[in-house]
Amino acid sequence: MKFKKQLALLVLLLVCAGRTKADVLIALGMAVTALGSAAVPEIYCYFRECCNEKWIFFDGGLQADIEGQLFGQHIASSIILNAVTGFMSNSIPKKPLVLSLHGLTGTGKTFASKLIAKSLFRKGMDSGHVHMFSSELHFPHKSQTELYKSQLQHWIRGNVTNCAHSMFIFDEMDKMHPGLIDGIKPFLDYHDKLDGVSYRRAIFIFLSNAGGDILTQTALDFWKAGKKREEIKLKDVETALSLSVFNNKDNGFWHTGLIEKGLVDFFVPFLPLEHSHVVQCVMAEMRAKGRTPDSSIAYEVAGEMSFFPKDERIFSVTGCKAIASRLNFF
Ligand SMILES: *[C@@H]1O[C@H](CO)[C@@H](O)[C@H](O)[C@H]1NC(C)=O
């Protein structure tokens, strides 16, 4: 049977290579006849993304990707790697994985989410199972919060019903209306099932700038004390970070008890990037574009960026954001 299937698939592929639409249809017909209708999903899933292990699997490439592409984030790197690896190797997780990524613009939060998506989904961010929401884009009007909330719940339920391994990324979480965050809360908790749907294999990632100042202050303190950035430990920023997120009345987290209820599994700090990291980003971008990495150009690009604080000028204001477009000028 297995052989028959493979043979049919091969025939199909060969004929597809023959190009005309009619050929493909005939081949499809032949294949279906040969295999019986049970094989239709298999053929379908050969070409188009499905929620199965052919399209979704933890490929073990995350470590290399993080080490080679996420610069200057030793704490975030190890937390993310451990969290995702642990979650994916657990055959029956008790709750969905919930990561809250914190840091200033351009420090790599979105980029890290992309690496996670890439490590699980063959199509990475283009996967139909990865959903990205931005509060200003998707939920712009305060007055519509109730509508957004039911819509969002509907989407999460629908997508997880279709595929348990769905991944949801919420950008600008600190700008999100508390009512909306409240709407997500039930999905993050330790429920076996909610209305017959289990959310335990889903991944939720929250991105926000909240706590960015605290992280900068810590990095600056270390720098001033002549200590290496790599000496900053999670415990040096963890308490301050959760307190700042918790106590900031302007951002949605404060109201919602996401933290109180322990629904966030990991707070992931992204430190402000230094000149050398920006250089690394430019080099990586050149490599990605198929150019030969040229360090003198990289230094030039990095040199044109703004750094803060005013006197010390250590940290990049925009981090590695928009490097690609800057590079186009060189
Ligand atoms: C899945 O989420 C998307 C938004 O990313 C939404 O447009 C779509 O309708 C959802 N699918 C289901 C089945 O609810």
Side-chain angles (χ1 to χ4, degrees), residues 128 130-133 138 151 153-162 168:
V130 177
H131 308 275
M132 181 127 183
F133 303 103
H138 293 92
Q151 200 173 46
Q153 291 185 323
H154 193 78
W155 286 347
I156 295 177
R157 189 177 304 125
N159 280 298
V160 175
T161 304
N162 285 346
F168 302 92

CSV table of all heavy atoms in Angstrom, one decimal, residues 128 130-133 138 151 153-162 168, ligand 1:
chain,number,residue,atom,x,y,z
A,128,GLY,N,0.0,29.4,7.5
A,128,GLY,CA,-1.4,29.7,7.8
A,128,GLY,C,-1.7,29.5,9.2
A,128,GLY,O,-2.8,29.9,9.7
A,130,VAL,N,0.3,30.6,11.7
A,130,VAL,CA,0.9,31.7,12.5
A,130,VAL,C,0.1,33.0,12.3
A,130,VAL,O,-0.1,33.4,11.2
A,130,VAL,CB,2.4,31.9,12.0
A,130,VAL,CG1,3.0,33.1,12.8
A,130,VAL,CG2,3.2,30.6,12.2
A,131,HIS,N,-0.4,33.5,13.4
A,131,HIS,CA,-1.2,34.7,13.3
A,131,HIS,C,-0.6,35.8,14.1
A,131,HIS,O,-0.2,35.7,15.2
A,131,HIS,CB,-2.6,34.4,13.9
A,131,HIS,CG,-3.2,33.1,13.3
A,131,HIS,ND1,-3.9,33.2,12.2
A,131,HIS,CD2,-3.1,31.8,13.7
A,131,HIS,CE1,-4.3,31.9,11.9
A,131,HIS,NE2,-3.8,31.1,12.8
A,132,MET,N,-0.5,36.9,13.4
A,132,MET,CA,0.2,38.1,14.0
A,132,MET,C,-0.9,39.2,14.1
A,132,MET,O,-1.5,39.6,13.1
A,132,MET,CB,1.3,38.6,13.2
A,132,MET,CG,2.1,39.7,13.7
A,132,MET,SD,3.8,39.4,13.9
A,132,MET,CE,4.4,40.9,14.7
A,133,PHE,N,-1.0,39.7,15.3
A,133,PHE,CA,-2.0,40.8,15.5
A,133,PHE,C,-1.2,42.0,16.0
A,133,PHE,O,-0.3,41.9,16.9
A,133,PHE,CB,-3.0,40.5,16.6
A,133,PHE,CG,-3.8,39.2,16.2
A,133,PHE,CD1,-3.5,38.0,16.8
A,133,PHE,CD2,-4.8,39.3,15.2
A,133,PHE,CE1,-4.2,36.9,16.5
A,133,PHE,CE2,-5.5,38.1,14.9
A,133,PHE,CZ,-5.2,36.9,15.5
A,138,HIS,N,-5.0,46.1,14.0
A,138,HIS,CA,-6.2,45.2,14.0
A,138,HIS,C,-7.3,45.7,15.0
A,138,HIS,O,-8.5,45.4,14.8
A,138,HIS,CB,-5.8,43.8,14.4
A,138,HIS,CG,-5.0,43.1,13.4
A,138,HIS,ND1,-3.6,43.1,13.4
A,138,HIS,CD2,-5.4,42.4,12.3
A,138,HIS,CE1,-3.2,42.4,12.3
A,138,HIS,NE2,-4.2,42.0,11.6
A,151,GLN,N,-14.5,38.9,18.3
A,151,GLN,CA,-13.9,38.5,17.0
A,151,GLN,C,-12.6,37.7,17.3
A,151,GLN,O,-12.4,36.6,16.7
A,151,GLN,CB,-13.6,39.8,16.2
A,151,GLN,CG,-13.4,39.6,14.8
A,151,GLN,CD,-13.3,41.0,14.1
A,151,GLN,OE1,-12.5,41.8,14.6
A,151,GLN,NE2,-14.0,41.1,13.0
A,153,GLN,N,-11.7,36.2,20.0
A,153,GLN,CA,-11.9,34.9,20.6
A,153,GLN,C,-12.4,33.9,19.6
A,153,GLN,O,-12.0,32.7,19.6
A,153,GLN,CB,-13.0,35.0,21.7
A,153,GLN,CG,-12.5,35.8,22.9
A,153,GLN,CD,-13.5,35.9,24.0
A,153,GLN,OE1,-14.7,36.0,23.8
A,153,GLN,NE2,-13.0,35.8,25.3
A,154,HIS,N,-13.2,34.3,18.7
A,154,HIS,CA,-13.7,33.5,17.6
A,154,HIS,C,-12.5,33.0,16.7
A,154,HIS,O,-12.5,31.8,16.4
A,154,HIS,CB,-14.7,34.4,16.8
A,154,HIS,CG,-15.5,33.6,15.8
A,154,HIS,ND1,-16.6,32.9,16.2
A,154,HIS,CD2,-15.4,33.4,14.5
A,154,HIS,CE1,-17.1,32.3,15.2
A,154,HIS,NE2,-16.4,32.6,14.1
A,155,TRP,N,-11.6,33.9,16.4
A,155,TRP,CA,-10.5,33.5,15.6
A,155,TRP,C,-9.6,32.5,16.3
A,155,TRP,O,-9.2,31.5,15.7
A,155,TRP,CB,-9.6,34.8,15.3
A,155,TRP,CG,-10.3,35.7,14.3
A,155,TRP,CD1,-11.3,35.4,13.4
A,155,TRP,CD2,-9.9,37.0,14.0
A,155,TRP,NE1,-11.6,36.5,12.6
A,155,TRP,CE2,-10.7,37.5,12.9
A,155,TRP,CE3,-8.9,37.9,14.4
A,155,TRP,CZ2,-10.6,38.7,12.4
A,155,TRP,CZ3,-8.7,39.1,13.9
A,155,TRP,CH2,-9.6,39.6,12.9
A,156,ILE,N,-9.3,32.8,17.6
A,156,ILE,CA,-8.4,31.9,18.3
A,156,ILE,C,-9.1,30.5,18.4
A,156,ILE,O,-8.4,29.5,18.1
A,156,ILE,CB,-8.1,32.4,19.7
A,156,ILE,CG1,-7.3,33.8,19.6
A,156,ILE,CG2,-7.3,31.4,20.5
A,156,ILE,CD1,-7.0,34.4,20.9
A,157,ARG,N,-10.3,30.5,18.7
A,157,ARG,CA,-11.0,29.2,18.9
A,157,ARG,C,-11.0,28.5,17.5
A,157,ARG,O,-10.7,27.3,17.4
A,157,ARG,CB,-12.5,29.4,19.4
A,157,ARG,CG,-13.2,28.1,19.7
A,157,ARG,CD,-14.6,28.4,20.3
A,157,ARG,NE,-14.5,29.3,21.4
A,157,ARG,CZ,-15.2,30.5,21.5
A,157,ARG,NH1,-16.0,30.9,20.6
A,157,ARG,NH2,-15.1,31.2,22.6
A,158,GLY,N,-11.4,29.2,16.5
A,158,GLY,CA,-11.5,28.6,15.1
A,158,GLY,C,-10.1,28.1,14.6
A,158,GLY,O,-10.0,26.9,14.2
A,159,ASN,N,-9.1,28.9,14.8
A,159,ASN,CA,-7.8,28.4,14.4
A,159,ASN,C,-7.2,27.3,15.2
A,159,ASN,O,-6.6,26.4,14.6
A,159,ASN,CB,-6.8,29.6,14.4
A,159,ASN,CG,-7.0,30.5,13.2
A,159,ASN,OD1,-6.8,30.1,12.0
A,159,ASN,ND2,-7.4,31.7,13.4
A,160,VAL,N,-7.4,27.3,16.5
A,160,VAL,CA,-6.9,26.2,17.3
A,160,VAL,C,-7.7,24.9,17.0
A,160,VAL,O,-7.2,23.8,17.1
A,160,VAL,CB,-6.9,26.5,18.8
A,160,VAL,CG1,-6.4,25.3,19.6
A,160,VAL,CG2,-5.9,27.7,19.0
A,161,THR,N,-9.0,25.1,16.8
A,161,THR,CA,-9.8,23.9,16.4
A,161,THR,C,-9.3,23.3,15.1
A,161,THR,O,-9.2,22.1,15.0
A,161,THR,CB,-11.3,24.3,16.2
A,161,THR,OG1,-11.8,25.0,17.3
A,161,THR,CG2,-12.2,23.1,15.9
A,162,ASN,N,-8.9,24.1,14.2
A,162,ASN,CA,-8.4,23.6,12.9
A,162,ASN,C,-7.0,23.0,13.1
A,162,ASN,O,-6.6,22.1,12.5
A,162,ASN,CB,-8.2,24.7,11.9
A,162,ASN,CG,-9.6,25.1,11.3
A,162,ASN,OD1,-10.5,24.4,11.5
A,162,ASN,ND2,-9.6,26.2,10.6
A,168,PHE,N,0.1,32.4,18.0
A,168,PHE,CA,-0.4,33.8,18.0
A,168,PHE,C,0.6,34.8,18.5
A,168,PHE,O,1.1,34.6,19.6
A,168,PHE,CB,-1.7,33.8,18.8
A,168,PHE,CG,-2.8,32.8,18.4
A,168,PHE,CD1,-2.8,31.6,19.0
A,168,PHE,CD2,-3.7,33.2,17.4
A,168,PHE,CE1,-3.8,30.6,18.5
A,168,PHE,CE2,-4.6,32.2,17.0
A,168,PHE,CZ,-4.7,31.0,17.5
B,1,LIG,C1,-7.9,32.5,12.0
B,1,LIG,O1,-7.3,33.7,12.3
B,1,LIG,C2,-7.4,34.7,11.2
B,1,LIG,C3,-6.8,35.9,11.7
B,1,LIG,O2,-5.4,35.7,11.7
B,1,LIG,C4,-8.9,34.9,10.8
B,1,LIG,O3,-9.0,35.8,9.7
B,1,LIG,C5,-9.5,33.6,10.5
B,1,LIG,O4,-10.9,33.8,10.2
B,1,LIG,C6,-9.3,32.6,11.6
B,1,LIG,N1,-9.9,31.3,11.2
B,1,LIG,C7,-10.9,30.7,11.8
B,1,LIG,C8,-11.3,29.4,11.3
B,1,LIG,O5,-11.5,31.2,12.8
